[in-house]
Amino acid sequence: MKKSIVRRALAGLLACVMMFSVCLIGSSPVSSASNLTDATVKTFEDQIEKLKNEQKAIQAKLTKLRKESASMQTYKAELDSYLETISRKMEAANTLVAELNEDIEEKNKAISANTAEYDKMYQKFLDMMVLTHEEGDASYIGLILGADSLGDFLSRLERVSSMLEYNKTVMDKLETTGETLENDKAVLEQAKALQEATLAELAEDEKDYQAKCDEVIDQIKKLGNNQAAAQAELAKNQKAEDELDKQLEAYLIELQKKNQAALEAGGWHWPIPLSAEQYCSSPYGWRILYGVWDYHRGWDIACWLGTDIEAAKGGTVVIAQYHYSYGNYIVIDHGGGVSTVYAHCSKLLVKVGDKVKKGDHIAEVGTTGNSTGYHLHFEFRKDGKYTDPFTYIKEPPIKVGASRYNKW
């Protein structure tokens, strides 16, 4: 019986030594890198993939329309849809990059904590092995075989079992910590790779966005060389704008009946930051466009693509949508029957029902809708009807032509 007990004790000791050897070699690497499982990250990956497919489909339509020499209005509406898709894809990509930044930061913290824990456990393991070696006759085997009676032997065996169990716990913890560390490193590398790929695709989308915007401006310039075709396009756009004007007037009049809020006190805020390079490309009133008279309902403030557009005064967003003449546009009800319109935006940053303050960033400059270049079409409406912006902004910070008849 004594020999059988000794054999079992020696077997346990041998198992510990074998485990010790594995730990010295290093924790077994994770067989395959764990996938990023964060639900938010996965959602944005799916969203980007969906928008990518939508982008390809619209690109195919654009190619077909170009071959068929479709009207500028038809082509421009499809192009605006393409730009909107890229814009949403870029927004999703930027959000994904931000999420990945957080994941990478968290993983780096976890790796630092696990590395410290691993080093601590490994040192404890080494100390334990050194102590066992230095004890000599007091080693596990010596401790068991040195018993002078069966009672003494069983007592010593219990002590050795406790020591072996403790040592096994230390080694198990060491191995688990090592595996966790390797897994965290693998996930970290995966997150970095996805982030780099997303940033690379984002850069390509930004180039594509700019190229498509430049393309339509170039086509509009070419259209201007064919006066008959340009006038035909202008007639279509004038009809669309007249229809929208009637809808806006009716809607704002109806809204005024429900909203009895007073106009916010104080002056008006210029809708483009004064640090931005800008000029008035077309003032309010009559103008000659493509050789025919056209009545312009607001001020056109030409500036760079993506320039911030800011609320002229506090109020409520009552319209934030796309129209094939005004493009992406916003209408803010300021109370007292006064509203402002911001048209041809590349991106809308507010939605219907939002409360905005004077100077809030509400959109970005673009060339969507019936637009011949990058600019903000800025107009005022009183009791639903468009009105001269000089009624409200008597001293604009940039030069705006005040003549009733302007040739641009």
PDB file of all heavy atoms in Angstrom, residues 247-248 251-256 258-259 315-321 329-335 338-342 348 350-356 362 381 384:
ATOM      1  N   GLN A 247     -45.105  75.013 -53.093  1.00  0.00           N
ATOM      2  CA  GLN A 247     -45.223  74.052 -51.989  1.00  0.00           C
ATOM      3  C   GLN A 247     -44.679  74.646 -50.698  1.00  0.00           C
ATOM      4  O   GLN A 247     -45.299  74.511 -49.620  1.00  0.00           O
ATOM      5  CB  GLN A 247     -44.479  72.765 -52.335  1.00  0.00           C
ATOM      6  CG  GLN A 247     -45.098  71.972 -53.469  1.00  0.00           C
ATOM      7  CD  GLN A 247     -44.194  70.841 -53.928  1.00  0.00           C
ATOM      8  OE1 GLN A 247     -43.156  70.558 -53.331  1.00  0.00           O
ATOM      9  NE2 GLN A 247     -44.581  70.195 -55.028  1.00  0.00           N
ATOM     10  N   LEU A 248     -43.520  75.305 -50.789  1.00  0.00           N
ATOM     11  CA  LEU A 248     -42.915  75.917 -49.606  1.00  0.00           C
ATOM     12  C   LEU A 248     -43.816  77.011 -49.035  1.00  0.00           C
ATOM     13  O   LEU A 248     -44.020  77.097 -47.813  1.00  0.00           O
ATOM     14  CB  LEU A 248     -41.546  76.519 -49.957  1.00  0.00           C
ATOM     15  CG  LEU A 248     -40.346  75.585 -49.951  1.00  0.00           C
ATOM     16  CD1 LEU A 248     -39.099  76.329 -50.403  1.00  0.00           C
ATOM     17  CD2 LEU A 248     -40.118  75.009 -48.557  1.00  0.00           C
ATOM     18  N   TYR A 251     -46.815  75.445 -47.348  1.00  0.00           N
ATOM     19  CA  TYR A 251     -46.425  74.724 -46.136  1.00  0.00           C
ATOM     20  C   TYR A 251     -46.069  75.693 -45.007  1.00  0.00           C
ATOM     21  O   TYR A 251     -46.493  75.517 -43.857  1.00  0.00           O
ATOM     22  CB  TYR A 251     -45.229  73.816 -46.441  1.00  0.00           C
ATOM     23  CG  TYR A 251     -44.678  73.112 -45.237  1.00  0.00           C
ATOM     24  CD1 TYR A 251     -45.379  72.087 -44.609  1.00  0.00           C
ATOM     25  CD2 TYR A 251     -43.430  73.456 -44.712  1.00  0.00           C
ATOM     26  CE1 TYR A 251     -44.880  71.435 -43.496  1.00  0.00           C
ATOM     27  CE2 TYR A 251     -42.910  72.811 -43.598  1.00  0.00           C
ATOM     28  CZ  TYR A 251     -43.638  71.804 -43.000  1.00  0.00           C
ATOM     29  OH  TYR A 251     -43.144  71.173 -41.898  1.00  0.00           O
ATOM     30  N   LEU A 252     -45.305  76.735 -45.328  1.00  0.00           N
ATOM     31  CA  LEU A 252     -44.862  77.676 -44.303  1.00  0.00           C
ATOM     32  C   LEU A 252     -46.029  78.520 -43.776  1.00  0.00           C
ATOM     33  O   LEU A 252     -46.055  78.890 -42.592  1.00  0.00           O
ATOM     34  CB  LEU A 252     -43.749  78.569 -44.856  1.00  0.00           C
ATOM     35  CG  LEU A 252     -42.433  77.844 -45.150  1.00  0.00           C
ATOM     36  CD1 LEU A 252     -41.444  78.772 -45.853  1.00  0.00           C
ATOM     37  CD2 LEU A 252     -41.816  77.304 -43.868  1.00  0.00           C
ATOM     38  N   ILE A 253     -46.987  78.835 -44.649  1.00  0.00           N
ATOM     39  CA  ILE A 253     -48.171  79.573 -44.197  1.00  0.00           C
ATOM     40  C   ILE A 253     -48.968  78.718 -43.215  1.00  0.00           C
ATOM     41  O   ILE A 253     -49.421  79.185 -42.157  1.00  0.00           O
ATOM     42  CB  ILE A 253     -49.052  79.982 -45.401  1.00  0.00           C
ATOM     43  CG1 ILE A 253     -48.359  81.095 -46.199  1.00  0.00           C
ATOM     44  CG2 ILE A 253     -50.430  80.441 -44.934  1.00  0.00           C
ATOM     45  CD1 ILE A 253     -49.065  81.465 -47.490  1.00  0.00           C
ATOM     46  N   GLU A 254     -49.139  77.428 -43.555  1.00  0.00           N
ATOM     47  CA  GLU A 254     -49.863  76.510 -42.683  1.00  0.00           C
ATOM     48  C   GLU A 254     -49.129  76.321 -41.360  1.00  0.00           C
ATOM     49  O   GLU A 254     -49.737  76.263 -40.294  1.00  0.00           O
ATOM     50  CB  GLU A 254     -50.027  75.164 -43.394  1.00  0.00           C
ATOM     51  CG  GLU A 254     -50.939  74.186 -42.680  1.00  0.00           C
ATOM     52  CD  GLU A 254     -52.368  74.664 -42.572  1.00  0.00           C
ATOM     53  OE1 GLU A 254     -52.815  75.431 -43.464  1.00  0.00           O
ATOM     54  OE2 GLU A 254     -53.043  74.275 -41.591  1.00  0.00           O
ATOM     55  N   LEU A 255     -47.798  76.275 -41.447  1.00  0.00           N
ATOM     56  CA  LEU A 255     -46.976  76.106 -40.247  1.00  0.00           C
ATOM     57  C   LEU A 255     -47.096  77.310 -39.335  1.00  0.00           C
ATOM     58  O   LEU A 255     -47.140  77.185 -38.099  1.00  0.00           O
ATOM     59  CB  LEU A 255     -45.514  75.894 -40.668  1.00  0.00           C
ATOM     60  CG  LEU A 255     -44.550  75.396 -39.592  1.00  0.00           C
ATOM     61  CD1 LEU A 255     -44.894  73.966 -39.190  1.00  0.00           C
ATOM     62  CD2 LEU A 255     -43.120  75.444 -40.116  1.00  0.00           C
ATOM     63  N   GLN A 256     -47.173  78.497 -39.946  1.00  0.00           N
ATOM     64  CA  GLN A 256     -47.243  79.732 -39.157  1.00  0.00           C
ATOM     65  C   GLN A 256     -48.529  79.792 -38.332  1.00  0.00           C
ATOM     66  O   GLN A 256     -48.547  80.339 -37.222  1.00  0.00           O
ATOM     67  CB  GLN A 256     -47.162  80.937 -40.096  1.00  0.00           C
ATOM     68  CG  GLN A 256     -47.062  82.268 -39.358  1.00  0.00           C
ATOM     69  CD  GLN A 256     -47.014  83.442 -40.315  1.00  0.00           C
ATOM     70  OE1 GLN A 256     -46.825  83.261 -41.511  1.00  0.00           O
ATOM     71  NE2 GLN A 256     -47.191  84.648 -39.799  1.00  0.00           N
ATOM     72  N   LYS A 258     -49.899  77.361 -36.898  1.00  0.00           N
ATOM     73  CA  LYS A 258     -49.721  76.498 -35.731  1.00  0.00           C
ATOM     74  C   LYS A 258     -48.654  77.034 -34.789  1.00  0.00           C
ATOM     75  O   LYS A 258     -48.699  76.817 -33.584  1.00  0.00           O
ATOM     76  CB  LYS A 258     -49.348  75.088 -36.175  1.00  0.00           C
ATOM     77  CG  LYS A 258     -50.386  74.430 -37.078  1.00  0.00           C
ATOM     78  CD  LYS A 258     -49.882  73.086 -37.568  1.00  0.00           C
ATOM     79  CE  LYS A 258     -50.867  72.454 -38.533  1.00  0.00           C
ATOM     80  NZ  LYS A 258     -50.354  71.162 -39.072  1.00  0.00           N
ATOM     81  N   ASN A 259     -47.666  77.695 -35.368  1.00  0.00           N
ATOM     82  CA  ASN A 259     -46.530  78.168 -34.567  1.00  0.00           C
ATOM     83  C   ASN A 259     -46.625  79.674 -34.355  1.00  0.00           C
ATOM     84  O   ASN A 259     -46.417  80.452 -35.284  1.00  0.00           O
ATOM     85  CB  ASN A 259     -45.218  77.815 -35.278  1.00  0.00           C
ATOM     86  CG  ASN A 259     -43.994  78.286 -34.499  1.00  0.00           C
ATOM     87  OD1 ASN A 259     -44.087  78.575 -33.307  1.00  0.00           O
ATOM     88  ND2 ASN A 259     -42.866  78.367 -35.170  1.00  0.00           N
ATOM     89  N   GLY A 315     -33.971  78.621 -34.103  1.00  0.00           N
ATOM     90  CA  GLY A 315     -35.295  78.239 -34.580  1.00  0.00           C
ATOM     91  C   GLY A 315     -35.454  76.728 -34.629  1.00  0.00           C
ATOM     92  O   GLY A 315     -34.672  75.990 -34.025  1.00  0.00           O
ATOM     93  N   THR A 316     -36.448  76.285 -35.385  1.00  0.00           N
ATOM     94  CA  THR A 316     -36.758  74.861 -35.524  1.00  0.00           C
ATOM     95  C   THR A 316     -36.599  74.426 -36.972  1.00  0.00           C
ATOM     96  O   THR A 316     -37.100  75.106 -37.886  1.00  0.00           O
ATOM     97  CB  THR A 316     -38.204  74.564 -35.067  1.00  0.00           C
ATOM     98  OG1 THR A 316     -38.364  75.017 -33.727  1.00  0.00           O
ATOM     99  CG2 THR A 316     -38.501  73.078 -35.141  1.00  0.00           C
ATOM    100  N   VAL A 317     -35.930  73.298 -37.187  1.00  0.00           N
ATOM    101  CA  VAL A 317     -35.782  72.751 -38.539  1.00  0.00           C
ATOM    102  C   VAL A 317     -37.128  72.161 -38.954  1.00  0.00           C
ATOM    103  O   VAL A 317     -37.652  71.258 -38.303  1.00  0.00           O
ATOM    104  CB  VAL A 317     -34.686  71.661 -38.588  1.00  0.00           C
ATOM    105  CG1 VAL A 317     -34.607  71.058 -39.982  1.00  0.00           C
ATOM    106  CG2 VAL A 317     -33.340  72.250 -38.171  1.00  0.00           C
ATOM    107  N   VAL A 318     -37.695  72.686 -40.047  1.00  0.00           N
ATOM    108  CA  VAL A 318     -39.004  72.197 -40.504  1.00  0.00           C
ATOM    109  C   VAL A 318     -38.895  71.381 -41.789  1.00  0.00           C
ATOM    110  O   VAL A 318     -39.806  70.634 -42.130  1.00  0.00           O
ATOM    111  CB  VAL A 318     -39.999  73.369 -40.689  1.00  0.00           C
ATOM    112  CG1 VAL A 318     -40.328  73.997 -39.345  1.00  0.00           C
ATOM    113  CG2 VAL A 318     -39.458  74.414 -41.662  1.00  0.00           C
ATOM    114  N   ILE A 319     -37.780  71.537 -42.514  1.00  0.00           N
ATOM    115  CA  ILE A 319     -37.527  70.728 -43.717  1.00  0.00           C
ATOM    116  C   ILE A 319     -36.035  70.396 -43.746  1.00  0.00           C
ATOM    117  O   ILE A 319     -35.190  71.268 -43.515  1.00  0.00           O
ATOM    118  CB  ILE A 319     -37.912  71.471 -45.016  1.00  0.00           C
ATOM    119  CG1 ILE A 319     -39.414  71.727 -45.066  1.00  0.00           C
ATOM    120  CG2 ILE A 319     -37.480  70.668 -46.243  1.00  0.00           C
ATOM    121  CD1 ILE A 319     -39.871  72.537 -46.285  1.00  0.00           C
ATOM    122  N   ALA A 320     -35.723  69.149 -44.039  1.00  0.00           N
ATOM    123  CA  ALA A 320     -34.324  68.712 -44.229  1.00  0.00           C
ATOM    124  C   ALA A 320     -34.393  67.516 -45.177  1.00  0.00           C
ATOM    125  O   ALA A 320     -34.566  66.378 -44.732  1.00  0.00           O
ATOM    126  CB  ALA A 320     -33.677  68.338 -42.900  1.00  0.00           C
ATOM    127  N   GLN A 321     -34.263  67.771 -46.477  1.00  0.00           N
ATOM    128  CA  GLN A 321     -34.463  66.710 -47.454  1.00  0.00           C
ATOM    129  C   GLN A 321     -33.808  67.058 -48.789  1.00  0.00           C
ATOM    130  O   GLN A 321     -33.140  68.083 -48.920  1.00  0.00           O
ATOM    131  CB  GLN A 321     -35.961  66.469 -47.670  1.00  0.00           C
ATOM    132  CG  GLN A 321     -36.689  67.681 -48.240  1.00  0.00           C
ATOM    133  CD  GLN A 321     -38.195  67.488 -48.299  1.00  0.00           C
ATOM    134  OE1 GLN A 321     -38.762  66.785 -47.484  1.00  0.00           O
ATOM    135  NE2 GLN A 321     -38.853  68.126 -49.266  1.00  0.00           N
ATOM    136  N   TYR A 329     -31.457  70.350 -49.012  1.00  0.00           N
ATOM    137  CA  TYR A 329     -31.727  71.688 -48.475  1.00  0.00           C
ATOM    138  C   TYR A 329     -32.422  71.618 -47.118  1.00  0.00           C
ATOM    139  O   TYR A 329     -33.025  70.614 -46.750  1.00  0.00           O
ATOM    140  CB  TYR A 329     -32.534  72.522 -49.471  1.00  0.00           C
ATOM    141  CG  TYR A 329     -34.015  72.211 -49.548  1.00  0.00           C
ATOM    142  CD1 TYR A 329     -34.952  73.097 -49.010  1.00  0.00           C
ATOM    143  CD2 TYR A 329     -34.489  71.059 -50.162  1.00  0.00           C
ATOM    144  CE1 TYR A 329     -36.314  72.833 -49.076  1.00  0.00           C
ATOM    145  CE2 TYR A 329     -35.848  70.791 -50.250  1.00  0.00           C
ATOM    146  CZ  TYR A 329     -36.761  71.682 -49.698  1.00  0.00           C
ATOM    147  OH  TYR A 329     -38.109  71.422 -49.769  1.00  0.00           O
ATOM    148  N   ILE A 330     -32.298  72.729 -46.392  1.00  0.00           N
ATOM    149  CA  ILE A 330     -32.848  72.864 -45.044  1.00  0.00           C
ATOM    150  C   ILE A 330     -33.684  74.138 -44.969  1.00  0.00           C
ATOM    151  O   ILE A 330     -33.307  75.172 -45.551  1.00  0.00           O
ATOM    152  CB  ILE A 330     -31.716  72.949 -43.993  1.00  0.00           C
ATOM    153  CG1 ILE A 330     -30.964  71.613 -43.894  1.00  0.00           C
ATOM    154  CG2 ILE A 330     -32.246  73.353 -42.625  1.00  0.00           C
ATOM    155  CD1 ILE A 330     -29.685  71.708 -43.097  1.00  0.00           C
ATOM    156  N   VAL A 331     -34.801  74.062 -44.263  1.00  0.00           N
ATOM    157  CA  VAL A 331     -35.585  75.254 -43.957  1.00  0.00           C
ATOM    158  C   VAL A 331     -35.711  75.342 -42.440  1.00  0.00           C
ATOM    159  O   VAL A 331     -36.079  74.363 -41.787  1.00  0.00           O
ATOM    160  CB  VAL A 331     -36.990  75.201 -44.591  1.00  0.00           C
ATOM    161  CG1 VAL A 331     -37.787  76.455 -44.203  1.00  0.00           C
ATOM    162  CG2 VAL A 331     -36.905  75.092 -46.109  1.00  0.00           C
ATOM    163  N   ILE A 332     -35.378  76.515 -41.907  1.00  0.00           N
ATOM    164  CA  ILE A 332     -35.488  76.751 -40.458  1.00  0.00           C
ATOM    165  C   ILE A 332     -36.559  77.803 -40.213  1.00  0.00           C
ATOM    166  O   ILE A 332     -36.536  78.895 -40.805  1.00  0.00           O
ATOM    167  CB  ILE A 332     -34.149  77.230 -39.858  1.00  0.00           C
ATOM    168  CG1 ILE A 332     -33.059  76.177 -40.061  1.00  0.00           C
ATOM    169  CG2 ILE A 332     -34.312  77.540 -38.365  1.00  0.00           C
ATOM    170  CD1 ILE A 332     -31.687  76.609 -39.572  1.00  0.00           C
ATOM    171  N   ASP A 333     -37.514  77.466 -39.362  1.00  0.00           N
ATOM    172  CA  ASP A 333     -38.559  78.405 -38.945  1.00  0.00           C
ATOM    173  C   ASP A 333     -38.048  79.156 -37.715  1.00  0.00           C
ATOM    174  O   ASP A 333     -37.780  78.546 -36.676  1.00  0.00           O
ATOM    175  CB  ASP A 333     -39.843  77.636 -38.614  1.00  0.00           C
ATOM    176  CG  ASP A 333     -40.944  78.543 -38.075  1.00  0.00           C
ATOM    177  OD1 ASP A 333     -40.881  79.762 -38.340  1.00  0.00           O
ATOM    178  OD2 ASP A 333     -41.847  78.041 -37.376  1.00  0.00           O
ATOM    179  N   HIS A 334     -37.937  80.486 -37.845  1.00  0.00           N
ATOM    180  CA  HIS A 334     -37.375  81.297 -36.750  1.00  0.00           C
ATOM    181  C   HIS A 334     -38.463  81.957 -35.900  1.00  0.00           C
ATOM    182  O   HIS A 334     -38.153  82.646 -34.916  1.00  0.00           O
ATOM    183  CB  HIS A 334     -36.453  82.378 -37.320  1.00  0.00           C
ATOM    184  CG  HIS A 334     -35.315  81.840 -38.123  1.00  0.00           C
ATOM    185  ND1 HIS A 334     -34.252  81.187 -37.547  1.00  0.00           N
ATOM    186  CD2 HIS A 334     -35.105  81.822 -39.466  1.00  0.00           C
ATOM    187  CE1 HIS A 334     -33.407  80.813 -38.506  1.00  0.00           C
ATOM    188  NE2 HIS A 334     -33.906  81.172 -39.668  1.00  0.00           N
ATOM    189  N   GLY A 335     -39.735  81.750 -36.257  1.00  0.00           N
ATOM    190  CA  GLY A 335     -40.818  82.412 -35.542  1.00  0.00           C
ATOM    191  C   GLY A 335     -41.169  83.737 -36.202  1.00  0.00           C
ATOM    192  O   GLY A 335     -40.385  84.276 -37.006  1.00  0.00           O
ATOM    193  N   VAL A 338     -40.947  84.231 -40.143  1.00  0.00           N
ATOM    194  CA  VAL A 338     -39.692  84.336 -40.892  1.00  0.00           C
ATOM    195  C   VAL A 338     -38.967  82.987 -40.931  1.00  0.00           C
ATOM    196  O   VAL A 338     -38.818  82.328 -39.899  1.00  0.00           O
ATOM    197  CB  VAL A 338     -38.755  85.395 -40.262  1.00  0.00           C
ATOM    198  CG1 VAL A 338     -37.455  85.503 -41.065  1.00  0.00           C
ATOM    199  CG2 VAL A 338     -39.457  86.747 -40.209  1.00  0.00           C
ATOM    200  N   SER A 339     -38.547  82.593 -42.129  1.00  0.00           N
ATOM    201  CA  SER A 339     -37.801  81.339 -42.312  1.00  0.00           C
ATOM    202  C   SER A 339     -36.584  81.603 -43.186  1.00  0.00           C
ATOM    203  O   SER A 339     -36.570  82.549 -43.986  1.00  0.00           O
ATOM    204  CB  SER A 339     -38.671  80.275 -43.001  1.00  0.00           C
ATOM    205  OG  SER A 339     -39.850  80.034 -42.279  1.00  0.00           O
ATOM    206  N   THR A 340     -35.563  80.748 -43.031  1.00  0.00           N
ATOM    207  CA  THR A 340     -34.394  80.809 -43.917  1.00  0.00           C
ATOM    208  C   THR A 340     -34.224  79.467 -44.608  1.00  0.00           C
ATOM    209  O   THR A 340     -34.564  78.416 -44.065  1.00  0.00           O
ATOM    210  CB  THR A 340     -33.105  81.159 -43.141  1.00  0.00           C
ATOM    211  OG1 THR A 340     -32.992  80.301 -41.995  1.00  0.00           O
ATOM    212  CG2 THR A 340     -33.092  82.605 -42.702  1.00  0.00           C
ATOM    213  N   VAL A 341     -33.683  79.521 -45.834  1.00  0.00           N
ATOM    214  CA  VAL A 341     -33.478  78.319 -46.648  1.00  0.00           C
ATOM    215  C   VAL A 341     -31.996  78.202 -46.975  1.00  0.00           C
ATOM    216  O   VAL A 341     -31.352  79.203 -47.323  1.00  0.00           O
ATOM    217  CB  VAL A 341     -34.300  78.394 -47.956  1.00  0.00           C
ATOM    218  CG1 VAL A 341     -34.099  77.120 -48.781  1.00  0.00           C
ATOM    219  CG2 VAL A 341     -35.772  78.604 -47.648  1.00  0.00           C
ATOM    220  N   TYR A 342     -31.472  76.964 -46.892  1.00  0.00           N
ATOM    221  CA  TYR A 342     -30.054  76.682 -47.177  1.00  0.00           C
ATOM    222  C   TYR A 342     -30.038  75.528 -48.192  1.00  0.00           C
ATOM    223  O   TYR A 342     -30.379  74.393 -47.838  1.00  0.00           O
ATOM    224  CB  TYR A 342     -29.316  76.279 -45.908  1.00  0.00           C
ATOM    225  CG  TYR A 342     -29.566  77.221 -44.731  1.00  0.00           C
ATOM    226  CD1 TYR A 342     -30.769  77.146 -44.010  1.00  0.00           C
ATOM    227  CD2 TYR A 342     -28.624  78.168 -44.352  1.00  0.00           C
ATOM    228  CE1 TYR A 342     -31.015  77.997 -42.942  1.00  0.00           C
ATOM    229  CE2 TYR A 342     -28.864  79.025 -43.278  1.00  0.00           C
ATOM    230  CZ  TYR A 342     -30.068  78.937 -42.582  1.00  0.00           C
ATOM    231  OH  TYR A 342     -30.305  79.793 -41.518  1.00  0.00           O
ATOM    232  N   LEU A 348     -26.378  67.150 -44.954  1.00  0.00           N
ATOM    233  CA  LEU A 348     -27.269  67.756 -43.962  1.00  0.00           C
ATOM    234  C   LEU A 348     -26.945  67.173 -42.588  1.00  0.00           C
ATOM    235  O   LEU A 348     -26.864  65.959 -42.442  1.00  0.00           O
ATOM    236  CB  LEU A 348     -28.735  67.478 -44.310  1.00  0.00           C
ATOM    237  CG  LEU A 348     -29.209  67.911 -45.707  1.00  0.00           C
ATOM    238  CD1 LEU A 348     -30.685  67.608 -45.878  1.00  0.00           C
ATOM    239  CD2 LEU A 348     -28.938  69.392 -45.952  1.00  0.00           C
ATOM    240  N   VAL A 350     -28.671  68.150 -39.682  1.00  0.00           N
ATOM    241  CA  VAL A 350     -29.818  68.259 -38.783  1.00  0.00           C
ATOM    242  C   VAL A 350     -31.014  67.564 -39.430  1.00  0.00           C
ATOM    243  O   VAL A 350     -31.003  67.269 -40.616  1.00  0.00           O
ATOM    244  CB  VAL A 350     -30.174  69.738 -38.485  1.00  0.00           C
ATOM    245  CG1 VAL A 350     -29.092  70.396 -37.645  1.00  0.00           C
ATOM    246  CG2 VAL A 350     -30.400  70.513 -39.787  1.00  0.00           C
ATOM    247  N   LYS A 351     -32.038  67.328 -38.629  1.00  0.00           N
ATOM    248  CA  LYS A 351     -33.257  66.679 -39.136  1.00  0.00           C
ATOM    249  C   LYS A 351     -34.481  67.475 -38.689  1.00  0.00           C
ATOM    250  O   LYS A 351     -34.382  68.349 -37.805  1.00  0.00           O
ATOM    251  CB  LYS A 351     -33.343  65.241 -38.643  1.00  0.00           C
ATOM    252  CG  LYS A 351     -33.419  65.083 -37.137  1.00  0.00           C
ATOM    253  CD  LYS A 351     -33.383  63.626 -36.736  1.00  0.00           C
ATOM    254  CE  LYS A 351     -33.542  63.452 -35.218  1.00  0.00           C
ATOM    255  NZ  LYS A 351     -32.483  64.130 -34.458  1.00  0.00           N
ATOM    256  N   VAL A 352     -35.608  67.166 -39.308  1.00  0.00           N
ATOM    257  CA  VAL A 352     -36.852  67.863 -38.992  1.00  0.00           C
ATOM    258  C   VAL A 352     -37.162  67.719 -37.495  1.00  0.00           C
ATOM    259  O   VAL A 352     -37.067  66.635 -36.926  1.00  0.00           O
ATOM    260  CB  VAL A 352     -38.014  67.293 -39.827  1.00  0.00           C
ATOM    261  CG1 VAL A 352     -39.344  67.894 -39.374  1.00  0.00           C
ATOM    262  CG2 VAL A 352     -37.803  67.584 -41.310  1.00  0.00           C
ATOM    263  N   GLY A 353     -37.494  68.852 -36.892  1.00  0.00           N
ATOM    264  CA  GLY A 353     -37.822  68.865 -35.466  1.00  0.00           C
ATOM    265  C   GLY A 353     -36.682  69.316 -34.576  1.00  0.00           C
ATOM    266  O   GLY A 353     -36.896  69.662 -33.406  1.00  0.00           O
ATOM    267  N   ASP A 354     -35.467  69.330 -35.112  1.00  0.00           N
ATOM    268  CA  ASP A 354     -34.309  69.764 -34.314  1.00  0.00           C
ATOM    269  C   ASP A 354     -34.409  71.251 -33.974  1.00  0.00           C
ATOM    270  O   ASP A 354     -34.783  72.076 -34.824  1.00  0.00           O
ATOM    271  CB  ASP A 354     -32.999  69.519 -35.079  1.00  0.00           C
ATOM    272  CG  ASP A 354     -32.584  68.059 -35.082  1.00  0.00           C
ATOM    273  OD1 ASP A 354     -33.233  67.263 -34.377  1.00  0.00           O
ATOM    274  OD2 ASP A 354     -31.614  67.719 -35.783  1.00  0.00           O
ATOM    275  N   LYS A 355     -34.057  71.587 -32.750  1.00  0.00           N
ATOM    276  CA  LYS A 355     -33.963  72.978 -32.324  1.00  0.00           C
ATOM    277  C   LYS A 355     -32.515  73.430 -32.516  1.00  0.00           C
ATOM    278  O   LYS A 355     -31.586  72.765 -32.045  1.00  0.00           O
ATOM    279  CB  LYS A 355     -34.359  73.135 -30.854  1.00  0.00           C
ATOM    280  CG  LYS A 355     -35.759  72.623 -30.506  1.00  0.00           C
ATOM    281  CD  LYS A 355     -36.841  73.476 -31.115  1.00  0.00           C
ATOM    282  CE  LYS A 355     -38.221  72.988 -30.680  1.00  0.00           C
ATOM    283  NZ  LYS A 355     -39.310  73.773 -31.308  1.00  0.00           N
ATOM    284  N   VAL A 356     -32.322  74.534 -33.213  1.00  0.00           N
ATOM    285  CA  VAL A 356     -30.963  75.017 -33.454  1.00  0.00           C
ATOM    286  C   VAL A 356     -30.794  76.419 -32.880  1.00  0.00           C
ATOM    287  O   VAL A 356     -31.762  77.168 -32.736  1.00  0.00           O
ATOM    288  CB  VAL A 356     -30.628  75.016 -34.965  1.00  0.00           C
ATOM    289  CG1 VAL A 356     -30.673  73.603 -35.525  1.00  0.00           C
ATOM    290  CG2 VAL A 356     -31.560  75.927 -35.755  1.00  0.00           C
ATOM    291  N   ILE A 362     -25.094  73.322 -39.326  1.00  0.00           N
ATOM    292  CA  ILE A 362     -26.280  72.567 -39.737  1.00  0.00           C
ATOM    293  C   ILE A 362     -26.084  71.768 -41.033  1.00  0.00           C
ATOM    294  O   ILE A 362     -26.837  70.824 -41.296  1.00  0.00           O
ATOM    295  CB  ILE A 362     -27.496  73.502 -39.917  1.00  0.00           C
ATOM    296  CG1 ILE A 362     -27.185  74.587 -40.964  1.00  0.00           C
ATOM    297  CG2 ILE A 362     -27.900  74.114 -38.572  1.00  0.00           C
ATOM    298  CD1 ILE A 362     -28.392  75.428 -41.353  1.00  0.00           C
ATOM    299  N   ARG A 381     -37.609  83.871 -46.262  1.00  0.00           N
ATOM    300  CA  ARG A 381     -39.038  83.836 -46.578  1.00  0.00           C
ATOM    301  C   ARG A 381     -39.816  84.462 -45.431  1.00  0.00           C
ATOM    302  O   ARG A 381     -39.560  84.182 -44.268  1.00  0.00           O
ATOM    303  CB  ARG A 381     -39.505  82.403 -46.827  1.00  0.00           C
ATOM    304  CG  ARG A 381     -38.954  81.856 -48.135  1.00  0.00           C
ATOM    305  CD  ARG A 381     -39.520  80.534 -48.540  1.00  0.00           C
ATOM    306  NE  ARG A 381     -39.060  80.208 -49.886  1.00  0.00           N
ATOM    307  CZ  ARG A 381     -39.827  80.202 -50.967  1.00  0.00           C
ATOM    308  NH1 ARG A 381     -41.114  80.486 -50.864  1.00  0.00           N
ATOM    309  NH2 ARG A 381     -39.327  79.903 -52.153  1.00  0.00           N
ATOM    310  N   GLY A 384     -44.113  82.720 -45.798  1.00  0.00           N
ATOM    311  CA  GLY A 384     -44.068  81.735 -46.867  1.00  0.00           C
ATOM    312  C   GLY A 384     -43.490  82.237 -48.171  1.00  0.00           C
ATOM    313  O   GLY A 384     -43.043  81.447 -49.013  1.00  0.00           O
TER     314      GLY A 384
END
